[in-house]
Amino acid sequence: MKIAVFRIQGERRIGVVSDDGSSVTALDFPRELAAAGALTAVEWLAEGRALPGKTGSSYRWDQVEHEAPLPAQRRNLFCVGRNYHAHAKELRDSVFKDNDANPESWPIVFTKVPQTVVGPWADVQLPVGVSDKIDYEAELAVVIGKGGRNISRAEAMSHVIGYTVVNDVTARDVQMRHQQWDLGKSFDTFCPMGPWLVTADELDGQKTRVRCWVNGELRQDGNTEDLIFDIPTLIETCSRGITLYPGDVIATGTPAGVGQGLTPPQFLKHGDVVRVEIDGIGHIENRFI
């Protein structure tokens, strides 16, 4: 099932997208519950409740205003750095030079604030005067369904409700300047997300392809089978002493091919368009302005 969040006549709705992605049918959630986006649907499913029936109102997907599936985050997003070997190698002399030499010891985990999240086609704002080294990072995002603390690796996948696409946009100079990465990752609009949430019964997030294009040029092409720390390990790590809640997001890391890793580095500028696509989910595409 593809769960989407959209607006029709200015009103936020939660809906189910058709198999071919051409239409969306609104679910009969009260307006106050729809305000939380797909988080409401995730919480219902995590509690074992059936989603409400369809209202009968179906719309062409290209005729509604699309929003991120989780536009109203409860708290910061969990994000993972250096989780593909080739990416660890391409940034070993810059971003990762002060990290542990053994990338398989512990995952690097940082966060992005909720205000980073924008829709699948929304413009991303370049922070003029603050940073001129803005980079893209195509990533699979895991969405937690059943919450918990100290979740074991063996039980971890039973806590996953679904997946979505994110671009972990990064200000590289700010990221490296402060050593801890939250500031460089957390500018407004720095987490385009979408186009919807695909439930875990329709996608094996541990075996899917992640790609990114900049102005039509393929830059990143990786597979989640190549993650250094797989999804169960990430859930186990993030839940150690920390309660995960329904709707929490864990971005799993980016493949090689980021702008910082090119020779010479190529950072995003006004008018650039970045497309991130994950097999089994779909794509997002955002213009940087």
Side-chain angles (χ1 to χ4, degrees), residues 109-140:
V109 180
F110 59 93
T111 69
K112 295 174 84 79
V113 300
Q115 290 75 18
T116 59
V117 176
V118 293
W121 326 117
D123 290 341
V124 176
Q125 302 292 325
L126 293 168
V128 177
V130 181
S131 171
D132 60 0
K133 293 180 171 58
I134 307 303
D135 210 347
Y136 52 87
E137 294 193 6
E139 304 197 14
L140 173 73

